Amino acid sequence: MGLSGAEYERILGLMGREPNYLELSLFSVMWSEHCGYKNSRPLLRRFPNEGPRVLQGPGENAGVVSLGDGWALAFKMESHNHPSAVEPYEGAATGVGGIIRDILAMGARPVALLDSLRFGPLDEERNRYLFREVVRGIGGYGNAVGVPTVGGEVEFSPAYSGNPLVNAMCVGLIRVDDLMRSRATGEGNAVVLLGSKTGRDGIHGATFASDELTEESESKRSNVQVGDPFAEKMLIECCLELLGQDLLVSLQDLGAAGITSSASEMAAGGGVGIDIEVEKVPRREAGMEPWEVMISESQERMLAVVEPERVEEALALAERYGIGGTVVGRVAGHGDLRVVDNGEVVGTVSAEHLADAPAYEREVLRPAYLDEVQKFEVAEIPEPGDYNEVLLSILSHPNLRSRRSIYNQYDHQVGTNTVVLPGADAAVMRIKGTRRGFAVTTDGRGRHCYLDPRGGGAATVAEAYRNLSCVGAEPVAVTDCLNFGSPEKPAGYYQLAECIEGMSEACEVFGTPVVSGNVSLFNETDRGPIYPTPTVGMVGVFEDVGRHATPGFKRGGDMVVVIGGSSRVSLAGSEYAEIVHGRVAGRPPGPDLASEKKTADLVREMVRSGLVDTAHDVSGGGEIVAVAEMALAGGLGIEYEEGELERMTEGQGGGRRDVALFGESGDTFLVAVPQERWEELEDALSRAAGYDLIGTVGGDRIRVGDAIDLKLSDLRRAHEQDLFGIPGEVVGGSEAVG
Amino acid sequence: MPETLKVRVLVRPKEGILDPQGEAVRGALPALGFGGVKTVHIGRLIEMEVESAAEVDAMCRRLLSNPTIEEYEWEVVS
Amino acid sequence: MPETLKVRVLVRPKEGILDPQGEAVRGALPALGFGGVKTVHIGRLIEMEVESAAEVDAMCRRLLSNPTIEEYEWEVVS
Amino acid sequence: MRVGVTVFPGSNCDRDALYAVERMGEEPVELWHAEADLKGVDAVIVPGGFSYGDYLRPGAIARFAGVMGPLEEFANGGGPVLGVCNGFQVLCEAHLLPGALLQNTHMRFVCDRVRVRVETANTPWTAGCEGGEELTLPVAHNEGNFFADAETLARLEDEDRVVLRYVGNPNGSANDIAGVCSEGRNVVGLMPHPERVSDPALGSDEGLKILRSVLVGATL
Ligand SMILES: Nc1ncnc2c1ncn2[C@@H]1O[C@H](COP(=O)(O)OP(=O)(O)O)[C@@H](O)[C@H]1O
Ligand SMILES: [Mg+2]
């Protein structure tokens, strides 16, 4: 059942007697890594989680931050890695369904989805299959349920072969006054199960998610859950209506560990007990045992607490929406989760004990592999001859290629709130009836975290902060998903601890507390562990959503300026080193957080003041890749200044053109302004650590000294190839959205 | 020219696996004026012309069905 | 309680209607090492338990298939 | 003008359509699928989404919903009806429009902005456009590939019943058809979503040209 001997002893101690099979099943699911955070709880305490805008930090179904004017956002990210490895379409689809219900449980209307994905290289058939089906699954669910998928990210590396990462994030909008919490109260109140019938789906799925993937687990077929976005859509509308009519005392989604975890969390939250009359739970399959019903992970279900006199009204509403609604229990005065089958008590466990999973703290020991992989000298890689070729090969590499063939499979506009569509640094959403809005991004830097866990953790957060700043939003808070290998191995534990440390430091400097998150450990296959890959979802706010920027060049004649302290550009751990030279090595410069913040805040201020409407950050691939992305997004070329390439090469390039063009650094941005606003820009830039006019927008080519001269149409052909590799396929008809 | 066989493959959700399509259709039927339907299950019909039936089972397993969530049966119809 | 009949309905694209799924499967087979497949067509399999077969044909015509693009056949299997 | 928007289980552009009606400056009226009542509206929009999950076939189940009886009567009496995306599919299934919408030939959901040409201004939903005018409209569908047999296609072309035509075909539609109208011209089905571009805050309100057309007809 996935409980160790010591854990069993602990249960004996807590209960003061032998648990029966049902009771043991409840412990087993609740004490799994997935629900109980055995290996991560002590480390997670490091995350800062307070701030002036935080209305709800970790500990609830989702974190909530205030947007002002009584508006709030609820958001959370969650992993569905293991289910997606086994059955990619349904694994990804149910991942989306699950995270939507977490947001719904806060009382919020889900308004945006994002997906953060990792796969092995696309030259392996199995990886192509996983990638294609995961994307289809996310679209298949999100599109049908009517929540726009507005952003996300994807990377490919051999480290994820056979162990894809599928992290889904959902953002919900709510009035502060309407916030719901998972807290059962009022002895005698009814516990109502809403939504689909209960089958044997994912029995022990939570424990499964915490095992390493093996050949054997691939044949555990009964773990597979199938999503029903139609049922979810009706569940969303029904729950929002129930909340709107004030019919609910509390609401909670059913995720991992099903009724067991929902009921015990609600009971613990309210300091009460809950009796579940298990025979009342509507079932899809015959002959289910009470323990199976209690831990089933059937999808599209919610648990609500309703006052007895309002039950009838609530059930009538469920009927109107065509979803099931059944009273399956009562709030009780004792503190237990008690399971009753046709009048007979078949299990009694204290809700507190279920929540009291053991926590394992380990020594943080620096693994030896780091010394090995951090060795890197620029001189080890030869300077390329043909920079045009290099730029084309980088822009067409799956890690830097346009994501259009992914996000065009996602409905990113339903809801008519998406102001900046996918393809920009962050999605920008408006709030109807107000000038306000928010921006949201997900980011992860697995390779960087592998080469330097602490620096990579900080860089992950910094990247998200930059992305929000580029569009002009004020970053306010973070959700995260910690995707790691086994914490029982010293290297795995070190990576986890160090990444959390780096992320925490960055969150502190940026003032973006972590308000929700999720942990996915044991991501290992026969080929070894994945890169340590914490992903973050960050949200930012706009007072005036009309004042935002996008990367695409907008006007010929605009002057393009690079801003930031790019004196630290480096090829260590860069895309260029991996794509062109096959090297994953070196210690990337850790972010200088204070300077990062200063530069990002400056860029944001320029957008907010209306001075800048074209901005982009320099990220994977370095300055020239960022410039090419801006050109392609806007359909306008750029001519670098005379002598600029030489200046770059002598300066930050340390004499090397490839370092200057493709070197990566943290706090570097590109903005473009019309000539007539140049003086205003210079004024604003007086506070910058450094800046440099690099060129002028115009024409249909990118020209950089005598190194690069490429037509946009050639760049576009390379950059916008279909990631799903259907020969001859042309994706999309219109220009990229800038 | 080798003769061809007509093969019919039926693919359906495995026992115990949720069949949202079937469920939704069944749930909608009474309101649509179709009574007396107890269960509905929806799967895939695949019809092929093949030169030999020797490989049909392997095709079903590897491509035509998703063994994780589906089961199949096949027959030569002519 | 009235006995139930098990009915099987097969719905397939009409002759001449584009069947991109069938085409895609046919196209994918050689690469997987399956030769000798001439045609592949993909349709829907619907299995129902009904109290009487009286309405099945009407259901097929009005709901389970779209006569503009599909044809159907049905039988009582048990 | 009172403009009704049908809400089926699984519709997901219903709220967007209601909002777009507000943007038109008219009165939106929600029409719940189970109620056989059009509430005296002057025009009806059947919105996009996945009615009944698009299970079986898009639109196949929704066409039997309670609201469809009065809607058919309204349509047959000449009332202006606009089906968008899933709404188009529903209207085809209900035989209020000819043809059917098959899966996109590339077998992928496609969400994008496409150029379309208004082929006729002679419908209540294009009367405010110029014939031949080009618009950029969002599409988002998995089954948008318009199909009709050769005879029907020829008739649609002859009778000037192709309402919108793609400039770049995103789904394999016959004759690049993005929208058609009924014989009486009052029922129009479009795969593109005019309601998604009805607000300058989202970058364009070109869709209002289509939606507000129904006001032109009403004042005739
Ligand atoms: N990596 C993390 N960072 C911050 N908070 C976390 C993290 N992982 C889990 N949490 C918080 O712990 C609580 C329990 O998480 P989880 O069990 O995943 O929630 P749920 O049961 O609602 O899916 C949540 O409030 C979640 O936000
Ligand atoms: Mg939850």
Side-chain angles (χ1 to χ4, degrees):
Chain A
M1 256 193 207
L3 287 168
S4 70
E7 286 166 354
Y8 185 79
E9 291 300 320
R10 184 184 171 95
I11 292 168
L12 287 184
L14 286 170
M15 292 187 72
R17 65 174 168 87
E18 294 241 349
N20 64 27
Y21 188 80
L22 181 143
E23 291 163 341
L24 199 56
S25 296
L26 305 190
F27 275 107
S28 154
V29 290
M30 292 302 289
W31 285 14
S32 65
E33 182 60 36
H34 191 80
C35 295
Y37 296 97
K38 286 185 282 205
N39 288 290
S40 51
R41 222 176 330 138
L43 297 175
L44 293 178
R45 286 192 203 109
R46 172 67 183 90
F47 282 139
N49 48 37
E50 282 169 12
R53 286 184 185 266
V54 177
L55 300 175
Q56 176 66 58
E60 263 290 341
N61 289 302
V64 183
V65 294
S66 157
L67 287 181
D69 272 354
W71 291 100
L73 289 181
F75 58 95
K76 181 166 186 225
M77 180 149 62
E78 199 153 73
S79 66
H80 236 210
N81 304 336
H82 287 68
S84 303
V86 175
E87 167 45 41
Y89 182 95
E90 299 297 345
T94 51
V96 170
I99 194 63
I100 288 176
R101 290 191 297 279
D102 269 322
I103 298 311
L104 183 59
M106 302 306 295
R109 175 174 280 280
V111 293
L113 288 165
L114 296 93
D115 61 331
S116 175
L117 311 175
R118 297 291 183 279
F119 301 93
L122 292 177
D123 46 21
E124 264 182 56
E125 163 66 25
R126 175 77 188 167
N127 295 332
R128 277 204 301 279
Y129 165 75
L130 291 172
F131 173 48
R132 185 182 71 229
E133 292 301 305
V134 162
V135 168
R136 275 205 331 116
I138 289 167
Y141 204 99
N143 298 346
V145 86
V147 181
T149 302
V150 299
E153 46 137 18
V154 63
E155 262 175 22
F156 304 90
S157 158
Y160 307 105
S161 275
N163 196 132
L165 301 185
V166 178
N167 296 176
M169 174 175 176
C170 185
V171 184
L173 184 64
I174 187 173
R175 298 291 301 167
V176 173
D177 294 340
D178 296 336
L179 261 180
M180 229 326 121
R181 291 200 169 83
S182 165
R183 207 162 285 166
T185 52
E187 196 177 332
N189 279 344
V191 175
V192 176
L193 183 60
L194 295 164
S196 299
K197 289 182 189 153
T198 299
R200 286 197 177 88
D201 309 87
I203 299 279
H204 285 309
T207 38
F208 170 61
S210 310
D211 286 341
E212 286 179 31
L213 274 186
T214 59
E215 292 270 335
E216 189 207 356
S217 66
E218 296 238 1
S219 64
K220 284 188 191 172
R221 303 305 194 197
S222 67
N223 285 308
V224 174
Q225 301 150 43
V226 168
D228 182 355
F230 173 55
E232 179 106 336
K233 169 68 177 165
M234 300 324 289
L235 191 59
I236 294 173
E237 298 304 332
C238 179
C239 287
L240 290 175
E241 178 96 31
L242 285 165
L243 291 163
Q245 298 195 14
D246 218 4
L247 290 171
L248 305 185
V249 174
S250 179
L251 183 64
Q252 164 76 32
D253 64 296
L254 276 78
I259 297 178
T260 299
S261 100
S262 297
S264 62
E265 275 170 32
M266 277 178 128
V272 294
I274 284 183
D275 291 344
I276 296 291
E277 294 161 45
V278 71
E279 80 280 1
K280 298 207 173 130
V281 174
R283 304 171 191 195
R284 208 173 69 227
E285 288 181 70
M288 288 180 72
E289 297 288 329
W291 69 269
E292 291 179 301
V293 174
M294 286 304 292
I295 66 173
S296 158
E297 297 185 357
S298 285
Q299 302 287 302
E300 288 92 23
R301 300 179 301 162
M302 300 285 286
L303 206 59
V305 175
V306 186
E307 290 169 3
E309 57 277 14
R310 322 208 66 171
V311 166
E312 203 175 317
E313 225 178 312
L315 297 188
L317 249 178
E319 168 113 36
R320 174 177 158 89
Y321 284 95
I323 64 168
T326 315
V327 176
V328 299
R330 301 269 154 208
V331 176
H334 54 72
D336 297 335
L337 173 60
R338 188 186 282 171
V339 186
V340 184
D341 188 19
N342 289 301
E344 183 194 341
V345 176
V346 293
T348 306
V349 182
S350 145
E352 227 171 87
H353 293 165
L354 283 179
D356 194 13
Y360 301 121
E361 237 171 310
R362 297 184 163 81
E363 214 181 329
V364 180
L365 295 171
R366 190 175 195 277
Y369 87 88
L370 282 174
D371 295 330
E372 215 35 58
V373 296
Q374 286 182 350
K375 276 188 210 137
F376 175 77
E377 294 293 334
V378 176
E380 292 165 26
I381 57 178
E383 245 186 289
D386 184 342
Y387 278 92
N388 286 330
E389 277 309 308
V390 172
L391 181 56
L392 286 171
S393 74
I394 291 181
L395 279 173
S396 65
H397 188 274
N399 277 348
L400 290 170
R401 203 183 286 178
S402 162
R403 270 63 187 121
R404 179 197 285 263
S405 54
I406 301 174
Y407 58 69
N408 276 14
Q409 295 185 53
Y410 300 153
D411 187 340
H412 41 252
Q413 282 184 294
V414 61
T416 52
N417 292 319
T418 318
V419 176
V420 173
L421 307 177
D425 288 305
V428 176
M429 309 288 295
R430 60 126 172 227
I431 296 167
K432 279 199 184 95
T434 76
R435 297 171 69 106
R436 286 174 193 277
F438 65 92
V440 54
T441 177
T442 59
D443 294 286
R445 301 185 59 119
R447 185 181 48 224
H448 193 159
C449 290
Y450 166 72
L451 295 172
D452 175 17
R454 188 180 296 202
T460 304
V461 177
E463 170 120 27
Y465 192 85
R466 279 201 302 277
N467 282 332
L468 293 184
S469 300
C470 279
V471 297
E474 179 199 338
V476 295
V478 162
T479 182
D480 70 298
C481 210
L482 302 175
N483 307 280
F484 286 81
S486 170
E488 288 162 3
K489 298 177 184 163
Y493 196 74
Y494 175 88
Q495 291 170 340
L496 181 62
E498 284 291 290
C499 281
I500 288 175
E501 181 59 35
M503 293 166 77
S504 300
E505 285 169 6
C507 286
E508 276 162 0
V509 172
F510 296 148
T512 52
V514 178
V515 296
S516 61
N518 172 247
V519 176
S520 171
L521 305 180
F522 301 99
N523 289 286
E524 309 210 348
T525 65
D526 309 343
R527 305 198 209 182
I530 59 163
Y531 282 157
T533 313
T535 57
V536 306
M538 192 183 278
V539 300
V541 303
F542 287 96
E543 281 187 7
D544 180 357
V545 74
R547 290 273 176 89
H548 62 258
T550 55
F553 288 147
K554 296 182 181 57
R555 297 155 296 262
D558 270 15
M559 304 172 78
V560 182
V561 180
V562 59
I563 306 172
S566 36
S567 54
R568 301 186 311 132
V569 298
S570 160
L571 293 184
S574 66
E575 293 284 356
Y576 165 79
E578 177 167 14
I579 295 169
V580 179
H581 301 283
R583 292 292 308 274
V584 175
R587 182 174 183 171
D592 175 343
L593 294 169
S595 138
E596 282 263 0
K597 176 164 166 40
K598 193 169 158 226
T599 314
D601 291 352
L602 177 65
V603 170
R604 179 171 60 257
E605 197 41 51
M606 296 192 296
V607 176
R608 186 153 54 185
S609 69
L611 173 59
V612 161
D613 64 1
T614 306
H616 190 30
D617 67 317
V618 174
S619 179
E623 174 179 313
I624 191 61
V625 165
V627 165
E629 287 166 348
M630 296 174 84
L632 287 171
L636 285 167
I638 178 174
E639 169 101 37
Y640 264 58
E641 295 283 296
E642 185 81 37
E644 175 63 17
L645 177 63
E646 289 69 26
R647 277 197 296 280
M648 288 164 68
T649 305
E650 289 321 308
Q652 67 247 34
R656 294 229 347 191
R657 290 178 161 198
D658 52 353
V659 176
L661 291 168
F662 304 111
E664 296 174 18
S665 71
D667 58 340
T668 310
F669 295 81
L670 291 153
V671 301
V673 290
Q675 241 148 6
E676 60 270 23
R677 306 199 72 168
W678 174 247
E679 280 176 19
E680 277 172 83
L681 186 75
E682 278 203 298
D683 249 9
L685 286 174
S686 62
R687 286 180 285 136
Y691 69 93
D692 187 15
L693 171 67
I694 62 168
T696 309
V697 175
D700 62 355
R701 315 182 74 87
I702 294 187
R703 299 222 327 227
V704 186
D706 61 357
I708 287 170
D709 184 4
L710 281 166
K711 272 171 66 178
L712 283 193
S713 53
D714 292 331
L715 281 167
R716 192 180 299 286
R717 203 166 310 119
H719 188 54
E720 293 191 358
Q721 284 175 67
D722 193 327
L723 278 161
F724 301 87
I726 298 173
E729 176 82 8
V730 180
V731 175
S734 56
E735 291 283 283
V737 178
Chain B
M1 195 194 100
E3 247 179 76
T4 60
L5 301 172
K6 223 183 133 183
V7 171
R8 172 178 299 162
V9 182
L10 303 183
V11 180
R12 53 173 79 80
K14 260 192 190 170
E15 173 110 25
I17 288 278
L18 182 69
D19 172 15
Q21 287 211 61
E23 236 343 85
V25 173
R26 197 199 49 77
L29 284 172
L32 311 183
F34 299 109
V37 181
K38 300 284 180 202
T39 63
V40 180
H41 286 289
I42 301 191
R44 263 194 322 281
L45 160 71
I46 300 151
E47 293 176 315
M48 307 187 290
E49 288 172 309
V50 296
E51 281 171 14
S52 125
E55 289 188 306
V56 171
D57 204 71
M59 282 164 49
C60 287
R61 231 175 320 113
R62 293 190 45 208
L63 183 67
L64 303 179
S65 79
N66 177 349
T68 311
I69 51 177
E70 294 170 330
E71 59 176 37
Y72 65 85
E73 61 182 271
W74 64 274
E75 57 175 337
V76 176
V77 286
S78 69
Chain C
M1 196 196 101
E3 249 180 75
T4 60
L5 301 172
K6 221 182 138 185
V7 172
R8 172 178 299 163
V9 182
L10 304 182
V11 179
R12 54 174 77 81
K14 262 191 187 170
E15 173 118 19
I17 298 279
L18 210 66
D19 173 14
Q21 279 199 52
E23 254 324 283
V25 170
R26 200 191 52 76
L29 286 168
L32 293 174
F34 297 114
V37 180
K38 300 286 178 202
T39 62
V40 179
H41 287 289
I42 300 195
R44 245 188 330 275
L45 162 70
I46 302 151
E47 293 177 314
M48 306 187 289
E49 288 173 309
V50 295
E51 281 172 11
S52 125
E55 283 194 303
V56 172
D57 203 71
M59 277 175 63
C60 288
R61 215 170 344 104
R62 298 188 48 213
L63 175 68
L64 302 179
S65 78
N66 177 347
T68 308
I69 47 175
E70 295 165 333
E71 55 179 39
Y72 66 87
E73 60 184 88
W74 66 273
E75 56 175 337
V76 176
V77 287
S78 70
Chain D
M1 188 179 222
R2 285 160 57 79
V3 181
V5 174
T6 57
V7 181
F8 298 107
S11 294
N12 66 28
C13 304
D14 46 332
R15 290 150 45 89
D16 301 351
L18 290 163
Y19 177 76
V21 173
E22 267 175 51
R23 299 276 322 152
M24 288 165 65
E26 306 302 315
E27 184 190 346
V29 181
E30 191 179 302
L31 303 173
W32 185 249
H33 65 96
E35 289 162 27
D37 181 4
L38 290 194
K39 301 185 175 167
V41 296
D42 306 296
V44 178
I45 299 175
V46 186
F50 288 65
S51 58
Y52 294 93
D54 270 4
Y55 296 147
L56 206 54
R57 290 184 311 284
I61 305 180
R63 74 161 273 217
F64 291 99
V67 73
M68 288 303 286
L71 178 70
E72 281 166 37
E73 250 169 66
F74 179 76
N76 291 330
V81 177
L82 175 66
V84 173
C85 198
N86 190 235
F88 188 3
Q89 295 161 341
V90 172
L91 296 176
C92 287
E93 284 282 344
H95 309 301
L96 289 171
L97 288 172
L101 293 144
L102 304 176
Q103 190 179 24
N104 302 340
T105 40
H106 48 68
M107 291 189 297
R108 284 197 215 166
F109 190 95
V110 56
C111 178
D112 208 344
R113 272 59 53 200
V114 297
R115 293 290 286 170
V116 292
R117 196 165 53 240
V118 179
E119 294 288 66
T120 175
N122 182 17
T123 81
W125 299 99
T126 47
C129 308
E130 304 281 331
E133 169 175 9
E134 287 191 8
L135 302 172
T136 299
L137 299 177
V139 289
H141 56 250
N142 194 48
E143 283 94 1
N145 173 2
F146 184 79
F147 168 85
D149 58 39
E151 200 183 315
T152 309
L153 276 180
R155 214 175 55 238
L156 289 175
E157 297 287 357
D158 283 354
E159 296 172 359
D160 192 29
R161 286 167 57 193
V162 175
V163 178
L164 295 185
R165 213 186 291 275
Y166 298 114
V167 176
N169 191 334
N171 53 33
S173 280
N175 295 10
D176 299 329
I177 288 173
V180 296
C181 68
S182 62
E183 224 173 314
R185 311 197 75 81
N186 57 308
V187 182
V188 169
L190 307 176
M191 280 322 290
H193 286 267
E195 82 284 1
R196 291 190 179 186
V197 274
S198 61
D199 191 340
L202 301 185
S204 160
D205 60 0
E206 270 190 296
L208 279 183
K209 276 197 165 171
I210 290 190
L211 298 175
R212 290 185 62 87
S213 290
V214 72
L215 303 174
V216 178
T219 57
L220 284 181

